[in-house]
Amino acid sequence: MNTFLWVAALGGGFLAYLIYTKQYKWGVSVARNAALGTGGILVANFALGGVGLAVGVNALTVLIVGILGIPGFLLLYASSWLLG
């Protein structure tokens, strides 16, 4: 529960920063990428789980996919495959 509060506080602070500096477009883009990337990770985990290639869904992976988009998604699965 303590970790959740820290993540919520950091996320709220970041959201307040985006609103204060009027960076709406970038914030919306990151949120959209994070939501679509999380869905993509869940679908890919379902499809690739049989061969042992899966990525956990947590704050770090959602942040990576949110900021980097498709290259971040591919980076997560490549690192999962290489580090196995």
Side-chain angles (χ1 to χ4, degrees):
M1 184 68 175
N2 193 17
T3 304
F4 174 75
L5 292 176
W6 275 105
V7 170
L10 288 173
F14 185 66
L15 182 62
Y17 169 77
L18 290 176
I19 291 171
Y20 179 72
T21 59
K22 296 185 171 75
Q23 298 286 332
Y24 304 117
K25 191 173 185 178
W26 186 79
V28 169
S29 175
V30 169
R32 183 194 65 227
N33 286 347
L36 292 174
T38 302
I41 289 172
L42 293 173
V43 169
N45 282 346
F46 180 74
L48 299 173
V51 294
L53 189 62
V55 172
V57 177
N58 55 42
L60 182 62
T61 57
V62 170
L63 184 66
I64 289 172
V65 171
I67 293 174
L68 298 177
I70 293 174
F73 179 83
L74 297 174
L75 173 74
L76 289 173
Y77 278 95
S79 64
S80 175
W81 178 66
L82 290 174
L83 300 176

